[in-house]
Amino acid sequence: MLGRYVGKWFYDKGIPFDAANSPYFSPMVSAIQRAGLRVKPPTAYELSGPILDEEMEEVTKWIEEYKQSWSRTGI
């Protein structure tokens, strides 16, 4: 049934099927499985607010670390 529900979500939202090849897809499913039966999905607010903010912070840190290598690599 998991496949059917995931499929319905893909179809309903027009998500490209190759999104299932994302390196984040399988870990997401695994995290949901580990979370147990009472896990609640994130709300639209959480996805567009605090969770997005955390992801932006992580990417910003990665970019800053990458920029620090520029002086060593001549970029």
Side-chain angles (χ1 to χ4, degrees):
M1 285 305 296
L2 173 62
R4 298 271 315 272
Y5 283 110
V6 171
K8 286 176 189 273
W9 181 65
F10 270 70
Y11 313 143
D12 179 59
K13 292 302 170 192
I15 298 169
F17 300 133
D18 72 336
N21 295 326
S22 165
Y24 303 105
F25 184 74
S26 185
M28 174 191 65
V29 173
S30 295
I32 292 168
Q33 291 170 331
R34 286 190 309 272
L37 298 176
R38 303 239 190 275
V39 66
K40 293 186 180 190
T43 64
Y45 165 76
E46 291 168 327
L47 288 168
S48 66
I51 293 172
L52 179 58
D53 292 343
E54 289 174 18
E55 289 300 314
M56 291 290 295
E57 186 177 319
E58 184 177 318
V59 169
T60 300
K61 286 180 184 177
W62 180 83
I63 291 171
E64 289 306 315
E65 290 173 11
Y66 189 73
K67 284 182 178 180
Q68 290 177 8
S69 73
W70 290 359
S71 62
R72 294 187 308 274
T73 61
I75 295 176

